[in-house]
Amino acid sequence: MEISEVLLEELIVFDVESRTKDRAIRELAAKLENTGYVTDIDAYLAAVMKREEISSTGLGMGVAIPHGKSGAVAKACVVFGRSRDGIDYQSDDGEPVYLLFLIAAPEAADEHLRILANISRKLIHERVRNELRQAETAREVYQALS
Amino acid sequence: MKLVAITSCSTGIAHTYMAAEALEVAAKELGYQIKVETQGSIGAENVLTAQEIKEADAVVIAASTTVNKDRFAGKKLREADVNDAILRGKALLESAATAEVYNAKGAAFVEKRAAGKSMGIYVHLMTGVSYMIPFVVAGGISIALAFAFGGINSEGAVASTINGLGGLAMGLMWPALGGYVAFSIADRPGLVPGMVFGMMASQMSAGFLGALAGGFLAGYIALTIKKIKLPKALMGLMPILIIPVFSVLVGGVIFKLFIGIPVGWLNQVMTDWLQSMSNASGVMLGAILGAMMAIDLAGPIGKAAYFFGVASLTNLVQGETSLIMAAVMVSGMVPPLAMALSSTIIGKNRYSNEQRESGKSAWVLGLSFISEGAIPFAVADPIRVLGSCTVGAAISGALSMIFNCGLAVPHGGFFVFMIPGAVSNVFLYILALLVGTAVSGVLITALKKPVEEAVN
């Protein structure tokens, strides 16, 4: 199974325009419309926001992984957004976020969850984060994460 | 420093795995050993075994959910939020050394059963395998060395000494397997009967399945005897007298009756059956012998096939070779080579680190016609491994017959290929070996699912 099956090429946003957390999440979520992966964007967004209430998914290191598990998700997928200027994400370390992975997970177990787990693991490595911040093409994004 | 850890987060999608990776990276930087179990939405993965927990210096739990701690009674336990692991992994690991010992009431009591019954059996198997592997490797490599120095009869003082050492180490794999399966079930009391029954299995050629059966029998008998209530004065005698003596006596009789006798009978039946097959077509016979060599890896069926091959050598005159012996040897080389191929080249992610390591030595063992090299894999996953190996071995056996390959010696593997007169049609013989190995290797790789271990 390939990363490209979960992180579709059209779900990569190289220049996130929004500068605040809520807007950035909505901007990325809008990408999921008409993909067939999420049947009800609002219901899915509600799940994401509910998760954010528990604790910020901005962990520091310039990375945030907002995610929602919802019946409105037909198939696991992820939207990758990269911000040039940084997003005010209310992260634990107070630093802006440059790499945003918006994950949509279905209620039922899904084999794609394993890929999401692997992507999460990769983000711990500084080298991967640097490559993602410099990536210009979808190919480079996949390479950084593989 | 050796650590075990658990990571878990509320949705189990991202942070569980980031934390696991962060802890592994931090441990590497600190020079610690760590194994991290992830409890995420995919379920628990890379699950800690009782043995690993036992050997760990401390336990780290990085979770934003409730994690069951029953398994960790008596261990130093450091708990933190999952985010701490991601951001401050190093500090978290360093603080584990001075953590307080976890001591929930009654926790020790459930410790053994915590993993659940079915999970438990797998843990016992893997404990046995991990103690057995070094014996197989040490023994197998030594024997191969002896072949290399002294030819297949290990001629000369050096070669024969090394060969003897290898044989001893190899022979101890059976008690190690039986003993440590039983040890995993019943702790120390299991060790003595487990080793004894493993040795019995070896002597009666019951193969690894016999040794495994012995290990489980020993473990559960020791566990049962341990629970018997005796007057206080006699309780002191439990560990050094009562448990060892009775578990060996009672279990030994059961083992002899229910394993030994059927195994001997099976061996006899197979031997007789092969005799009656002597006139069957060569290809058919080759396939059957090949399948027998792999189906129980040096157990009663394989042994019958091997001795059928050796017997075919006795009537040869100088310069003749035996087609039957050739089919037997080539197919006996297939299982370890196929497992080596799968675990070190084409299907790495389907095996644990430990298995991949033993896969490297399986190359040498396979080339030396030491079928036991495949046993560590077969114990962990018998049906898939034995099934795949049997198919390839049967093909090699049949091909060897079709190619009209012959062999004049009873052992030696690759080391005799180059000796003039030992193998006839040697290049086709190698082809037969390659084809069977490739078939089995691809088959097992296709059948096995990838295991989730941080493969980096």
Side-chain angles (χ1 to χ4, degrees):
Chain A
M1 196 160 310
E2 298 291 325
I3 292 176
S4 54
E5 283 183 61
V6 181
L7 176 58
L8 303 182
E9 205 165 325
E10 59 265 36
L11 295 184
I12 297 177
V13 183
F14 285 101
D15 284 296
V16 177
E17 285 166 20
S18 310
R19 299 295 303 273
T20 63
K21 173 175 172 174
D22 278 21
R23 286 196 183 174
I25 291 177
R26 281 173 205 285
E27 187 187 331
L28 293 185
K31 287 276 162 190
L32 291 167
E33 234 146 13
N34 305 321
T35 55
Y37 280 75
V38 178
T39 51
D40 182 344
I41 300 276
D42 289 333
Y44 162 67
L45 267 175
V48 173
M49 296 309 180
K50 206 169 156 197
R51 167 64 188 82
E52 288 299 324
E53 275 170 28
I54 300 171
S55 70
S56 173
T57 56
L59 287 169
M61 309 181 292
V63 178
I65 309 186
H67 51 276
K69 201 174 186 177
S70 162
V73 177
K75 216 171 141 195
C77 65
V78 56
V79 189
F80 168 48
R82 195 252 316 269
S83 165
R84 306 258 179 208
D85 308 314
I87 299 161
D88 174 15
Y89 203 88
Q90 299 130 41
S91 290
D92 282 8
D93 62 356
E95 295 294 322
V97 159
Y98 296 94
L99 302 172
L100 208 55
F101 286 85
L102 177 67
I103 291 177
E107 287 289 3
D110 180 334
E111 55 193 312
H112 294 98
L113 291 174
R114 182 153 281 152
I115 299 182
L116 297 178
N118 284 340
I119 292 178
S120 306
R121 277 178 178 268
K122 295 285 179 202
L123 296 175
I124 287 296
H125 301 274
E126 199 182 356
R127 182 185 58 78
V128 176
R129 298 198 298 270
N130 288 339
E131 282 176 20
L132 286 174
R133 284 186 64 171
Q134 282 153 19
E136 291 303 335
T137 62
R139 225 185 114 98
E140 288 173 22
V141 171
Y142 292 145
Q143 257 166 9
L145 289 172
S146 62
Chain B
M1 177 117 124
K2 238 180 181 171
L3 299 174
V4 292
I6 291 180
T7 61
S8 179
C9 62
S10 50
T11 47
I13 290 167
H15 295 172
T16 301
Y17 303 96
M18 287 180 86
E21 185 80 11
L23 290 181
E24 283 162 11
V25 169
K28 209 170 185 180
E29 283 174 17
L30 290 166
Y32 293 174
Q33 276 186 336
I34 195 166
K35 177 166 175 184
V36 185
E37 175 179 321
T38 50
Q39 296 186 356
S41 52
I42 316 173
E45 292 186 282
N46 205 18
V47 176
L48 306 172
T49 65
Q51 187 68 22
E52 284 159 348
I53 295 168
K54 201 179 213 169
E55 286 170 359
D57 298 310
V59 181
V60 173
I61 296 180
S64 52
T65 55
T66 323
V67 170
N68 186 335
K69 289 175 287 200
D70 291 347
R71 287 183 280 170
F72 306 126
K75 307 294 294 187
K76 285 181 186 169
L77 178 69
R78 174 81 166 88
E79 286 185 90
D81 190 77
V82 66
N83 291 1
D84 281 330
I86 297 174
L87 295 174
R88 294 169 283 276
K90 262 187 177 174
L92 179 59
L93 293 188
E94 282 175 325
S95 72
T98 52
E100 271 182 43
V101 171
Y102 176 65
N103 201 358
K105 274 191 193 119
F109 193 71
V110 280
E111 188 193 4
K112 279 242 85 114
R113 297 270 160 258
K117 260 266 155 61
S118 59
M119 194 59 218
I121 286 179
Y122 187 68
V123 169
H124 305 325
L125 277 176
M126 293 319 290
T127 305
V129 172
S130 72
Y131 280 96
M132 173 189 69
I133 286 175
F135 288 97
V136 180
V137 173
I141 304 270
S142 304
I143 293 170
L145 269 178
F147 285 164
F149 284 138
I152 60 150
N153 294 320
S154 307
E155 283 152 15
V158 176
S160 72
T161 305
I162 296 176
N163 189 42
L165 282 172
L168 274 179
M170 194 74 146
L172 282 170
M173 70 185 264
W174 308 108
L177 178 59
Y180 282 98
V181 165
F183 178 78
S184 173
I185 298 168
D187 277 327
R188 254 171 58 176
L191 200 56
V192 170
M195 288 192 147
V196 171
F197 302 162
M199 206 72 216
M200 277 175 84
S202 163
Q203 285 180 352
M204 54 179 66
S205 293
F208 80 96
L209 293 171
L212 272 184
F216 278 102
L217 178 69
Y220 289 114
I221 284 185
L223 208 56
T224 311
I225 298 181
K226 208 159 81 169
K227 286 191 190 128
I228 297 172
K229 290 262 177 294
L230 289 176
K232 232 185 188 148
L234 289 174
M235 276 310 258
L237 293 175
M238 255 327 222
I240 49 157
L241 185 71
I242 295 171
I243 297 179
V245 171
F246 282 92
S247 59
V248 165
L249 286 179
V250 175
V253 170
I254 296 175
F255 194 66
K256 181 84 191 164
L257 282 177
F258 290 94
I259 308 284
I261 292 175
V263 161
W265 171 82
L266 180 61
N267 182 258
Q268 192 58 46
V269 168
M270 296 313 289
T271 305
D272 293 346
W273 183 62
L274 278 175
Q275 290 299 338
S276 71
M277 293 284 300
S278 297
N279 297 322
S281 86
V283 179
M284 190 66 187
L285 186 59
I288 290 171
L289 285 169
M292 287 173 69
M293 286 301 289
I295 202 157
D296 63 356
L297 295 174
I301 300 176
K303 193 185 155 203
Y306 180 68
F307 281 103
F308 186 70
V310 174
S312 75
L313 293 176
T314 51
N315 301 323
L316 297 180
V317 272
Q318 186 74 29
E320 275 185 338
T321 55
S322 158
L323 299 182
I324 291 172
M325 189 64 228
V328 165
M329 186 166 92
V330 74
S331 45
M333 294 169 74
V334 166
L337 289 177
M339 295 318 298
L341 175 68
S342 178
S343 65
T344 66
I345 298 179
I346 59 177
K348 279 186 193 171
N349 63 345
R350 286 156 172 77
Y351 301 87
S352 68
N353 275 326
E354 201 174 25
Q355 287 180 316
R356 284 200 294 274
E357 287 305 314
S358 72
K360 289 175 192 160
S361 61
W363 283 113
V364 180
L365 271 58
L367 288 174
S368 313
F369 181 40
I370 299 171
S371 308
E372 283 88 341
I375 290 179
F377 300 95
V379 175
D381 189 4
I383 295 173
R384 289 195 193 93
V385 170
L386 294 177
S388 312
C389 289
T390 302
V391 172
I395 291 173
S396 281
L399 282 178
S400 171
M401 286 286 190
I402 292 172
F403 295 156
N404 209 24
C405 301
L407 184 65
V409 290
H411 213 287
F414 190 73
F415 292 95
V416 299
F417 286 16
M418 300 311 149
I419 299 175
V423 186
S424 42
N425 289 332
V426 67
F427 290 107
L428 288 171
Y429 197 53
I430 293 172
L431 180 65
L433 177 62
L434 291 178
V435 171
T437 300
V439 168
S440 288
V442 168
L443 201 55
I444 185 64
T445 306
L447 288 176
K448 265 184 169 307
K449 289 200 187 82
V451 292
E452 278 307 307
E453 249 189 352
V455 186
N456 285 323

